[in-house]
Amino acid sequence: MPENIIAPAPAPVDDRVRKPAVRPPRPGFALAVILTCQLMVVLDATVVSIALPGIQRTLHFSAAGLSWVQDVYLLVFGGLLLLGGRAGDLFGRRRLLVVGIAGFTLASLLGGFATSPGLLVAARAAQGVGAAVAAPNTLALIVSTYREPTARARAIGLFSSMSAGGAAVGMILGGLLTSYFSWRSVMFINVPFGLAIVLLAPRLIREPERHPSRLDLPGAVAATLGTGTLVYAFIHAATAGWGAGSTLGWFAAAAVLLTGFVLWEAYGAVQPLLPLHLLRHRVRGGGYLTMLLLPAAMYGMFFFITQYLQNVLGYSPLRTGFAFLPLAVLIFVGARTAPRLVPRFGARPFLIGGPILLLTGLLLLTRVDATTAYASGILPSMVLFGTGAGFTIAPLSITILSAVRPEESGAASGTLQTMQQAGGALGTAVLLTVFTSATRHPAGRGPDALFAHGVSVGMGVAAVFIAVALLLVVTVVRPSGRPRAARGVVVGSGGSGSR
């Protein structure tokens, strides 16, 4: 089942007619379309954050209801990613990318015109569906298109920079659009880019060979409901308390659903949504768990530092967005540079050094209080955090996808992105619970001091996430050596490719 591009014979006319369908004329343009798609779906996880106050004023959201504008996107996106990856293997990855972005674009347009809370939340959920259909196929298209190890590593590095930096870029873009236009512009901005992708993707991206498969709908339902219920349980615990019967009930329901999902995948599904051997591989399984923990800390940091800058330091939305510019630039630069250095030095320096920088940045944020200045108290942490994230995500992605068979690249990349989105949603929910508990008893503190105390405690828990991720890298993933090619697939350092 080779996917290498073969030059057509010169004589037959039919070969000349079929050539554009076999090979995209400009692979660089094809990669640009794929990366734009990925940037769109990642941006929307955070681009609404700074717009939330305007959304609340316009549509009269309650305080609790407002959180769903962001959470419902992450939940639906993360919950359906595995199904999107498997559907791409079955129906065609390029086709699913186009269909997903078309749905995402239409939902963005409807969300921009929303006149009630229910309509906006429904539009955000529909965006999540479109993103879940498109996103796993972006990475799978890169894996199936770039067969040469160095070229693929560079392409994955660009993809990782979009994935890692997109959330921070969303903060900047949200600040710009909200300040100069209105909150509706953060929805409308997706429309022209989405239309461009829908028009250009069929012309520039080669459709890989499809693989006979079956959609595991029971597994998809169990995974989506289980993940969503678990996130909701943490959010509910923030208001009702950990000991409340309703909180325990939600956690129990999540445990039942997720256990049912694992049992179904292991024993019931004819063609599992998540092939469990992808997780049983030591390096890959440890890498997936590490990928769950990194966004848990990252999204939590974005969520709380954004509010700290506006609520405590009094920053405007525009100024808040630009406060994240150093972090976004460093993530992008690191994600672009790391794949070029991994073949020379191996993944180990990055997968150990990067989390150490992340951990240091978060520990510095545990010292914030009501008098902390941005330049001396926040900026150094952002520099450390951005550098650490940029030098960690790309090598970890390459390691996880080491020696994945082409017929399972959709499932493998879908699982990777599921870990990212589920980690972001779970991390934010956990840290919100911690923040609420820390600010429940004022102890003589003023509003700003109390809020800063909650942020400090939350960043301490985020640091624990990174510490566990670092421990996993050292003891389970244990990257060593340098990448090598195996069966035509890039092998990240530390990945043997064995099953």
Side-chain angles (χ1 to χ4, degrees), residues 160-487:
S160 299
S161 69
M162 294 297 181
S163 300
V169 172
M171 312 290 284
I172 300 169
L173 183 62
L176 284 168
L177 294 174
T178 304
S179 296
Y180 287 108
F181 301 100
S182 75
W183 69 264
R184 297 183 186 276
S185 61
V186 304
M187 305 293 288
F188 290 141
I189 192 65
N190 292 320
V191 176
F193 292 100
L195 289 176
I197 291 172
V198 170
L199 293 175
L200 293 176
R203 294 169 172 79
L204 297 176
I205 301 174
R206 178 174 61 87
E207 179 71 271
E209 182 179 350
R210 301 180 194 178
H211 305 284
S213 182
R214 294 182 183 180
L215 288 181
D216 179 14
L217 293 179
V221 171
T224 304
L225 291 180
T227 304
T229 302
L230 182 59
V231 171
Y232 181 78
F234 281 108
I235 295 174
H236 185 75
T239 55
W242 287 95
S246 55
T247 299
L248 298 176
W250 284 112
F251 276 112
V256 170
L257 287 167
L258 293 175
T259 300
F261 168 71
V262 172
L263 293 176
W264 172 259
E265 297 300 288
Y267 304 109
V270 176
Q271 290 184 303
L273 187 66
L274 172 61
L276 294 181
H277 65 259
L278 291 176
L279 303 180
R280 287 196 293 266
H281 183 280
R282 177 181 58 81
V283 171
R284 193 176 298 121
Y288 278 135
L289 187 53
T290 303
M291 189 63 81
L292 180 76
L293 292 166
L294 293 178
M298 289 178 61
Y299 278 81
M301 192 274 273
F302 296 157
F303 182 81
F304 284 105
I305 297 304
T306 298
Q307 296 185 67
Y308 175 84
L309 292 174
Q310 295 188 69
N311 295 341
V312 178
L313 299 188
Y315 279 24
S316 66
L318 180 61
R319 192 178 180 186
T320 300
F322 275 101
F324 280 87
L325 182 60
L327 185 147
V329 170
L330 287 169
I331 289 178
F332 183 82
V333 171
R336 286 286 290 119
T337 304
R340 300 178 181 180
L341 299 178
V342 166
R344 180 180 299 178
F345 301 106
R348 185 178 182 84
F350 302 98
L351 294 185
I352 294 179
I356 289 176
L357 293 175
L358 288 168
L359 180 61
T360 305
L362 287 171
L363 290 176
L364 288 178
L365 288 176
T366 63
R367 303 173 61 185
V368 300
D369 56 31
T371 62
T372 300
Y374 172 79
S376 60
I378 306 299
L379 181 58
S381 298
M382 286 195 172
V383 170
L384 290 168
F385 203 90
T387 305
F391 279 107
T392 302
I393 300 297
L396 183 59
S397 299
I398 294 171
T399 299
I400 290 173
L401 295 175
S402 297
V404 172
R405 294 190 301 234
E407 63 269 22
E408 291 184 333
S409 61
S413 59
T415 303
L416 185 151
Q417 294 185 77
T418 295
M419 294 298 176
Q420 291 178 327
Q421 300 304 320
L426 284 169
T428 302
V430 171
L431 296 182
L432 179 62
T433 303
V434 172
F435 174 87
T436 303
S437 299
T439 56
R440 186 165 288 148
H441 304 292
R445 297 185 179 97
D448 288 352
L450 187 64
F451 191 95
H453 173 67
V455 171
S456 173
V457 175
M459 294 304 94
V461 175
V464 173
F465 294 160
I466 299 299
V468 175
L470 179 59
L471 183 64
L472 283 170
V473 168
V474 173
T475 61
V476 179
V477 180
R478 290 188 294 182
S480 60
R482 298 174 184 174
R484 58 183 177 84
R487 294 183 293 179

Side-chain angles (χ1 to χ4, degrees), residues 33-109:
V33 172
I34 294 171
L35 295 180
T36 301
C37 170
Q38 177 65 11
L39 182 60
M40 283 178 63
V41 300
V42 173
L43 275 175
D44 263 67
T46 58
V47 73
V48 301
S49 298
I50 298 178
L52 289 177
I55 292 173
Q56 186 174 28
R57 288 192 300 269
T58 303
L59 300 184
H60 308 292
F61 270 91
S62 66
L66 188 65
S67 65
W68 284 106
V69 177
Q70 183 164 322
D71 290 341
V72 73
Y73 179 78
L74 289 173
L75 290 176
V76 176
F77 186 8
L80 293 178
L81 267 169
L82 288 174
L83 184 64
R86 179 60 74 192
D89 288 335
L90 177 60
F91 298 113
R93 295 167 189 156
R94 185 186 66 187
R95 175 180 294 180
L96 266 292
L97 181 142
V98 172
V99 169
I101 288 298
F104 181 90
T105 302
L106 178 59
S108 299
L109 183 65

